Amino acid sequence: MGIFIDAFRGGLAMLVSGAADVWTIVLVSVQVSGAAVLLALVLGIPIGFMLGTKRFVGRRMMLVIANTGMGLPPVVVGLVVAMLLSRRGPLGSLELLYSRPAMVIAQLVIAVPMVAAVSAAAVSAVPRELRLQARSLGASPLQVAIMTLREARMGLLASVAAGFGSIISEVGAVTMVGGNLAGKTRVMTTAIVQYTRMGDYGAALALAVVLMAMVLAVNILLTRVQQSAERYEQ
Amino acid sequence: MSAPKPADIVVEGVRKSYRGKTVVDVDRLELKAGRTLGLLGPSGSGKSTLLSMIGLLERPDAGTVSVDGREVNATDRQTRMSMAAAFQRPYLFKGTVGDNVAYGLRLRRVPASDTRDRVEAVLTRVGLQGWQDRSALTLSGGEAQRVALARALVLEPRILLLDEPLASLDPVMKWRLARDFARILREEGKTTLYVTHDQDEVLAIADDVAIMRQGRVVASGTGDQVFGLPADDWIAGFLGMEPSIRGRVLDVKDGVARVDCGGVTLYAVAPVAPGAEVLLGVRPEDVVLFEADAIVPLTSARNKIQAVVVQIDPSGSTYRVVIERGPVRIAAKISRSALVDLRLSEGTPVQALFKATAVRVAST
């Protein structure tokens, strides 16, 4: 067990002393995944709203795609995004490969189906009659949509948590499109892989603790959401 | 604050089908300004769909809805803003009772202080004084339905649409609320469409009545007209009555007509001429039954006939007893204890009493 104790001591020292390396990595992680999650909400919630409330041709198909997207293998996303952004790819002229925007794009592709599927479920749990009721009191279509999202807010929070949780701990895609460049595109997960390979268990464990803390926080939020979700079932 | 003038609504040629099945096909239906129209019909008769179309929540496949003589549709924001609805299950928004009642006012950008006053006033009106800050999700069914009514009333709509607002309540709460609704609607004097499948509710609340069957309006008029004399056998059955009785007026004395119904003489107060062929109907609750050999106390009931019980059906908390004498068949509504006291069963001879004023008459 000595290995754990030593690594723990070393890692703790790093975190406490504010070793620039470790905290930069954490910061890059939060920036990339934060940006990706925000964009995923902007795109995913309207899609989820459509899927959850409207009846249109192709809806079932889109739901299947969104639900499949939740299980999309990140390495596949990494591969496709890397190919798109590679010098010979269709978006190669943007020169984005091995940059943070490339990582944001890859994480976005992973998170949007997740956010769309979870928010579709949340929105469709709002009774149709409630929307009819809002309309009957004079609400415009936009006002009905705002009311619906407000009613589904706990579920929407869950979609944020699910989206964030899925990409902050993802390693395959970000390595492939980010390249794990120190100080630039190195994030917690890729750094943990790197430090572990180098035998620097202290640094790896320190990052693992921070990552775990974030995932734990997200899951605590999710659990609380689920507890307060039994609202129309009285 | 003076309430706006109530609206006159006319529905003409309105049709709606879902997946090739016609659910509404109404030639004409009128909601008179300031009156409550009770729209009655069995489940699936198209009542709620018709309400949705009148409320501009759903677009008819054909036909028009006119308010004060002007054709309107869902894009007509001003007309939509002059309506408010409450539905069978009182779906409330998450938040407080006050937030729920204020919802429509906020959509209309009513100033906050004004909103507060109006919410307070309307909650008092529906019997929930001071409930503004309670959570809307902790209310009982009856309380929630009051909030739903308040949420509609607070908008001072010219048109109020109520879709089975009492159907999901327990009987005690239902009748308390029905009484309150009737009073509120009478005082408010709004044009109201009240959809229900319960005729007692309609009797308590509505001024005018229309009956729907398979998407069509099969009877309409004042409560007295529609309930007094069923227009056909189906309506009679739906209203718990027997089909109308055919007769011929023998003579008229002091406004009371003596009518021969195939050998049975009935008295009715009606403006008819001797020799006229007429249809007669009696409401089941207007008929009193006695044992055949009972000495009937002196009453003002002109009609007293010896008859035989031919059918007994439970109908909610009461019983519907059909009696027959020759071609005359009449249903009577009696309590369970009366049924026991009279020892009624099929074949029992009885005396039936009802007033001449209780007999509805139509010329043929």
Side-chain angles (χ1 to χ4, degrees):
Chain A
M1 289 312 279
I3 185 173
F4 278 98
I5 294 165
D6 290 347
F8 190 77
R9 279 208 189 114
L12 197 66
M14 265 181 175
L15 288 175
V16 173
S17 69
D21 236 20
V22 174
W23 287 112
T24 308
I25 291 166
V26 172
L27 191 65
V28 172
S29 266
V30 171
Q31 280 175 347
V32 168
S33 295
V37 130
L38 279 181
L39 289 171
L41 295 182
V42 171
L43 292 173
I45 288 181
I47 296 173
F49 179 79
M50 293 283 291
L51 291 175
T53 61
K54 308 278 191 247
R55 295 286 172 271
F56 52 88
V57 180
R59 170 179 173 271
R60 190 178 291 264
M61 175 87 100
M62 282 183 72
L63 266 175
V64 170
I65 292 172
N67 287 323
T68 311
M70 288 174 77
L72 203 59
V75 285
V76 175
V77 174
L79 170 65
V80 173
V81 173
M83 285 169 71
L84 287 172
L85 297 179
S86 71
R87 201 162 290 166
R88 284 171 47 218
L91 302 174
S93 58
L94 299 173
E95 298 193 351
L96 285 177
L97 198 57
Y98 306 128
S99 70
R100 287 184 202 169
M103 297 159 79
V104 172
I105 291 170
Q107 296 199 336
L108 192 57
V109 173
I110 296 168
V112 164
M114 185 85 69
V115 171
V118 176
S119 51
V123 162
S124 63
V126 176
R128 196 186 77 88
E129 289 83 351
L130 201 63
R131 284 183 275 135
L132 196 68
Q133 178 71 73
R135 255 169 71 207
S136 75
L137 295 170
S140 66
L142 180 66
Q143 286 165 330
V144 172
I146 291 169
M147 181 282 296
T148 309
L149 294 177
R150 267 177 56 92
E151 290 292 313
R153 58 189 177 260
M154 291 312 251
L156 295 182
L157 262 180
S159 82
V160 177
F164 187 76
S166 71
I167 57 183
I168 190 78
S169 51
E170 188 282 318
V171 60
V174 284
T175 312
M176 294 162 87
V177 304
N180 192 28
L181 307 175
K184 273 182 67 188
T185 60
R186 180 164 298 170
V187 291
M188 287 188 283
T189 51
T190 59
I192 290 170
V193 173
Q194 169 101 8
Y195 286 135
T196 307
R197 276 202 196 123
M198 286 160 43
D200 188 353
Y201 296 129
L205 197 58
L207 288 170
V209 167
V210 176
L211 183 58
M212 283 292 291
M214 282 190 185
V215 174
L216 187 67
V218 163
N219 278 300
I220 288 172
L221 184 64
L222 265 173
T223 313
R224 294 190 56 175
V225 165
Q226 280 164 353
Q227 281 166 351
S228 59
E230 298 136 8
R231 49 204 184 281
Y232 293 114
E233 292 147 25
Q234 320 138 352
Chain B
M1 202 169 338
S2 71
K5 175 181 145 322
D8 228 0
I9 305 173
V10 179
V11 173
E12 265 172 319
V14 162
R15 277 205 302 280
K16 180 84 185 174
S17 26
Y18 292 118
R19 299 196 184 101
K21 186 173 176 291
T22 303
V23 288
V24 170
D25 184 358
V26 172
D27 290 336
R28 190 184 160 87
L29 183 68
E30 197 175 336
L31 278 78
K32 297 197 182 76
R35 291 171 70 87
T36 298
L37 173 71
L39 186 57
L40 194 60
S43 304
S45 57
K47 312 181 294 283
S48 295
T49 307
L50 182 58
L51 178 133
S52 290
M53 289 190 287
I54 292 174
L56 306 180
L57 300 171
E58 218 162 322
R59 205 181 288 273
D61 297 338
T64 59
V65 175
S66 307
V67 174
D68 293 333
R70 196 172 56 84
E71 193 182 323
V72 294
N73 61 46
T75 59
D76 190 333
R77 191 164 166 75
Q78 204 191 337
T79 307
R80 271 202 335 112
M81 285 298 192
S82 70
M83 301 180 172
F87 299 93
Q88 172 170 356
R89 287 196 52 195
Y91 283 102
L92 300 181
F93 307 119
K94 272 188 247 169
T96 64
V97 168
D99 288 339
N100 267 278
V101 177
Y103 182 76
L105 294 176
R106 297 214 172 102
L107 294 178
R108 287 162 179 74
R109 303 190 185 291
V110 173
S113 63
D114 199 5
T115 297
R116 213 165 33 241
D117 294 346
R118 282 169 74 171
V119 168
E120 194 181 330
V122 81
L123 283 176
T124 304
R125 192 144 183 61
V126 298
L128 300 177
Q129 190 169 11
W131 284 44
Q132 286 90 322
D133 295 327
R134 296 205 192 189
S135 163
L137 299 181
T138 58
L139 304 181
S140 73
E143 291 159 356
Q145 199 52 268
R146 285 172 195 267
V147 173
L149 180 66
R151 184 168 60 180
L153 283 179
V154 76
L155 303 175
E156 310 236 315
R158 299 179 64 214
I159 300 158
L160 196 56
L161 306 164
L162 302 174
D163 189 356
E164 306 242 13
L166 306 178
S168 59
L169 303 179
D170 65 73
V172 175
M173 183 51 69
K174 177 174 167 162
W175 286 109
R176 266 180 59 190
L177 221 54
R179 213 170 47 228
D180 287 1
F181 271 37
R183 173 182 57 80
I184 292 168
L185 294 178
R186 213 162 31 241
E187 288 168 7
E188 296 269 334
K190 296 186 186 318
T191 307
T192 303
L193 179 62
Y194 191 102
V195 167
T196 178
H197 61 267
D198 184 331
Q199 53 169 316
D200 291 331
E201 221 173 293
V202 164
L203 279 167
I205 289 171
D207 302 308
D208 301 319
V209 181
I211 297 179
M212 273 186 96
R213 180 195 183 196
Q214 293 173 0
R216 292 171 183 275
V217 172
V218 291
S220 66
T222 62
D224 213 34
Q225 286 166 344
V226 173
F227 288 122
L229 199 63
D232 62 36
D233 292 0
W234 182 85
I235 297 172
F238 178 68
L239 296 178
M241 295 172 68
E242 288 299 301
S244 302
I245 306 156
R246 294 191 164 278
R248 198 170 58 80
V249 179
L250 297 172
D251 55 45
V252 183
K253 214 183 287 172
D254 300 331
V256 179
R258 203 157 61 88
V259 185
D260 171 55
C261 306
V264 182
T265 304
L266 296 180
Y267 294 90
V269 174
V272 288
E277 298 287 337
V278 291
L279 289 173
L280 306 182
V282 188
R283 291 289 304 159
E285 55 271 23
D286 290 335
V287 180
V288 187
L289 299 184
F290 290 93
E291 285 163 308
D293 52 0
I295 299 177
V296 175
L298 267 177
T299 70
S300 58
R302 285 291 287 272
N303 293 297
K304 183 164 112 180
I305 59 173
Q306 296 285 340
V308 175
V309 174
V310 291
Q311 199 179 324
I312 301 175
D313 300 313
S315 144
S317 55
T318 60
Y319 284 83
R320 181 175 172 276
V321 177
V322 181
I323 56 155
E324 190 176 69
R325 163 100 186 259
V328 174
R329 272 173 80 98
I330 296 172
K333 187 172 171 177
I334 68 169
S335 69
R336 189 185 165 72
S337 63
L339 188 79
V340 174
D341 285 350
L342 294 169
R343 293 187 294 274
L344 292 185
S345 60
E346 283 175 28
T348 312
V350 289
Q351 298 183 69
L353 263 73
F354 46 94
K355 295 182 178 187
T357 49
V359 181
R360 311 301 199 279
V361 181
S363 301
T364 55

